[in-house]
Amino acid sequence: MASVPVEPLAAFLWQAALRPAAVAILDDEGPWTYRQLASAAARLADRLDRAGVEPGSLVGLSVTRGRRVVAGILGIWLRGCAYVPIDPDYPESRRSYLARDAGTGHLVVDGPDDGFAVAPGESPPGERELPGGLAYVIYTSGSTGEPKGVLVRHANLRALFTAAAEVMPAGPQDVGTVFHSYCFDFSVWEIWRVLAAGGRCVFVPAEARTDGESLGRLLAGQRVTLLSLVPSVFANLVQAVRADRTALPHLREVVLGGEAMDLNVARTWLELGVAPRARLVNMYGITETTVHVTARPLDAERIAAFRGPGTPIGRPLPHLRVTVRNPDGAETPPGEVGEMHVAGGGVAAGYLGRPELTGRRFRPGPGAEPGIWYRTGDLARREADGELVYLGRSDAQIQLRGHRIEPGEVAAAIGAVPGVAGAGVTVVPNRGGEPVLVACYVPAGAASPTAAELRAALHDRLPRHLVPARLVPVDRLPVTAQGKLDRAALVVTAGGVSPAGHWQTLVADVWSAVLGFRTGEVAADDDFFELGGHSLAAGRVAGRLSRRTGRAVTLRLLYDHPVLSDLASALAGFDGNGAVNDKRRKPHR
């Protein structure tokens, strides 16, 4: 029997022919078989053809989470095009920017019949010369204030999944979760590793993405075997299974990536023993090198033997090479810190429409080293045994809950709001010790916005993961002797705003009681979920507020208004019938 192909599209078509009645997707709408998924993709490809979409084009994909994501990607690929993910929950200005910058002449959106419609783009297709064989263009945060598109080819995917089949094989018996947004390339790993092997993808519902207990129940109920998470979400899962000892006997592999991992959390997971078959693997990767670069299986012995600082990320996958270099480009000796450079089959084709940036980050190897090497901007050291240890960034870029965030992009969006003279962005730990995004801004005159007004304006400009958890007005931004933003001083400046008035005080009192804070520790600009809240805690908050106000406070109200001052304003807007009279735009979650 011929071997199964490892390029995602070819592998999926193979599996659809081999096991058409097997369930490929399980989402909020129920199960979908390989036959149904293949048919929907073929219909979309035909619709794109009839709409005049030429092979080799970039096609925007803006559909609801679930089966339409997978069928949309497949349909675009079948037409010979590359997809540009544009989350429909993004603010309209962000969606428009991505479509214009990519030059997408057409946009695939949710439709009334078979799930799709093809809409014309806002502008004709871009006239840029694109590399052949593109699979997708995923946008990442940009230091200049604008996101940049990374050009990933089918050959990059083929190299990744060929390597994965060798060192981390999957099969038709596997059930894998799809936790992450299709605008984040971790989803590429989650979806195609499973479907290329003939397995089943389970899209994690909204509640289980915010609550570890719900996620644990889902993993147990669906007999999930493959789980991929960012470490901060994994920590929530560990906390939940520690509390109720949820048994996960079917889980055979947990992949962590997207941000630095806390080895104490990994140690706790292993000690719990709730998933005795599960191998725990820490992986390092970046969009520009196609999802994953290195892997490090972790067990109790390896964790105990590790000597920090940093996070162990292991060795490169078979299709990649990694070197650690000093600023002069020379490879560093074991134990010495340097910048990681990556070469091999996963290195992308560069940035869309940004030749200067591409030239700076994608460079020929020094001396006789072959190929193009990507300068990651990540610091590491190589141990004596050849294993790599991740040590953070060499620049101001932030990794937070799997997202790469350029503070400059967030600061630029804040500075573009009328009445703001400047802003600085950093990360500080919240009261629960979790890192959160914080911005200090300088009001300009009497027309300057309050923190609540500024937050509302940012929700119109940025995806939710780029909106700071706390916005603090300051007289001026701290700077170094060289005139640059002093981020260390910014952390000291970023104090919370005390609750004021009846409704803010009431909400702060309830949050403190439910989340275990002392009086005065919860601020008016705190985010419930950033403080450690989850769906069960949200239910308790809703119940207490309902009893204390005599009004029907729902879970949805808290999800739509996670910031204390916003929730207080919404509660103050209840009409005489117990409904919320809230005409403000609600933030995306």
Side-chain angles (χ1 to χ4, degrees), residues 314-535:
R315 301 176 186 273
L317 297 176
H319 66 302
L320 293 169
R321 292 167 287 156
V322 176
T323 62
V324 180
R325 300 176 185 166
N326 63 28
D328 295 328
E331 193 163 355
T332 59
E336 187 173 312
V337 178
E339 180 184 6
M340 279 191 286
H341 292 62
V342 181
V347 175
Y351 298 112
L352 176 65
R354 287 166 172 77
E356 291 185 4
L357 181 59
T358 297
R360 291 198 303 270
R361 302 300 293 271
F362 296 81
R363 301 182 62 82
E369 293 187 45
I372 297 296
W373 291 76
Y374 176 70
R375 293 187 56 184
T376 66
D378 289 324
L379 298 177
R381 69 173 187 271
R382 191 182 294 277
E383 303 284 57
D385 61 2
E387 298 235 334
L388 292 160
V389 176
Y390 173 77
L391 295 167
R393 292 290 300 177
S394 62
D395 55 21
Q397 189 182 92
I398 295 165
Q399 287 186 319
L400 189 62
R401 293 173 183 82
H403 296 285
R404 288 165 54 194
I405 298 172
E406 292 285 359
E409 179 177 0
V410 182
I414 296 172
V417 175
V420 176
V425 178
T426 189
V427 166
V428 300
N430 67 9
R431 292 172 183 81
E434 293 294 322
V436 296
L437 200 64
V438 170
C440 294
Y441 70 97
V442 179
S448 62
T450 64
E453 291 167 341
L454 180 56
R455 183 179 303 281
L458 292 179
H459 277 297
D460 286 330
R461 291 167 165 80
L462 295 172
R464 193 186 190 286
H465 70 269
L466 293 181
V467 178
R470 177 165 294 160
L471 294 160
V472 182
V474 295
D475 293 333
R476 62 182 181 276
L477 297 175
V479 295
T480 65
Q482 292 75 34
K484 296 183 178 180
L485 180 68
D486 188 343
R487 297 188 186 280
L490 199 65
V491 173
V492 176
T493 305
V497 178
S498 297
H502 169 72
W503 291 105
Q504 288 189 12
T505 302
L506 171 62
V507 173
D509 187 29
V510 171
W511 284 18
S512 298
V514 170
L515 297 178
F517 291 113
R518 295 190 297 269
T519 300
E521 287 188 327
V522 175
D525 48 358
D526 273 333
D527 183 299
F528 178 77
F529 299 98
E530 299 291 359
L531 289 176
H534 47 72
S535 62

Side-chain angles (χ1 to χ4, degrees), residues 164-248:
E166 178 182 339
V167 299
M168 305 173 70
Q173 76 284 353
D174 278 311
V175 180
T177 53
V178 182
F179 189 97
H180 303 93
S181 164
Y182 70 110
C183 296
F184 178 28
D185 70 343
F186 215 157
S187 66
V188 173
W189 171 262
E190 293 179 293
I191 294 170
W192 302 112
R193 184 187 179 201
V194 173
L195 293 184
R200 181 168 80 250
C201 283
V202 177
F203 275 81
V204 178
E207 182 181 64
R209 295 200 303 276
T210 59
D211 176 37
E213 294 179 15
S214 297
L215 178 58
R217 290 194 297 270
L218 175 76
L219 299 178
Q222 293 299 326
R223 300 187 172 188
V224 169
T225 62
L226 303 176
L227 174 64
S228 295
L229 292 175
V230 295
S232 52
V233 175
F234 178 64
N236 292 337
L237 174 64
V238 173
Q239 183 179 17
V241 298
R242 184 179 187 177
D244 61 13
R245 296 283 174 161
T246 302
L248 302 171

Side-chain angles (χ1 to χ4, degrees), residues 92-128:
E92 190 279 332
S93 60
R94 182 78 166 200
R95 298 197 307 270
S96 295
Y97 171 82
L98 296 180
R100 288 195 308 271
D101 187 75
T104 54
H106 295 82
L107 189 67
V108 175
V109 297
D110 295 324
D113 45 11
D114 60 2
F116 291 116
V118 178
E122 296 185 4
S123 57
E127 297 179 355
R128 305 185 185 100

Side-chain angles (χ1 to χ4, degrees), residues 131 138 153 232 282 324 539 557:
I138 281 184
R153 298 162 292 195
S232 52
N282 189 36
V324 180
L557 185 66

